[in-house]
Amino acid sequence: MDFGRIMQMIINQLLRRAVNGGVDAAMRQMSKRSGPVADADPQQAQAAKQASRRARQAAKLTRKF
């Protein structure tokens, strides 16, 4: 391997980590903003849990690409 290819691999790894960190930070920020779900409506709480689970799965899938 030549030096340019090695540098490109290192840069790709750093960019990947930076993007993953940004996605994680954004997901944490959004989950803090939504706040706790009221216990008055358990069906709505269940729907919110499923939505957050789907959002985490989507974030994981987008990181792989």
Side-chain angles (χ1 to χ4, degrees):
M1 266 197 251
D2 61 347
F3 184 70
R5 183 171 277 174
I6 292 171
M7 288 302 296
Q8 187 65 37
M9 288 172 52
I10 292 170
I11 290 170
N12 284 343
Q13 284 182 341
L14 292 174
L15 283 174
R16 189 176 307 120
R17 287 183 186 180
V19 168
N20 286 344
V23 169
D24 287 339
M27 291 299 289
R28 280 193 303 269
Q29 186 70 20
M30 291 303 290
S31 67
K32 286 181 184 177
R33 258 190 201 166
S34 64
V37 178
D39 293 332
D41 192 6
Q43 188 177 17
Q44 186 178 6
Q46 182 68 20
K49 283 183 184 180
Q50 288 177 351
S52 65
R53 188 177 302 128
R54 279 191 232 115
R56 283 193 301 272
Q57 288 174 348
K60 285 180 185 178
L61 287 175
T62 56
R63 286 184 208 144
K64 289 182 181 180
F65 294 118

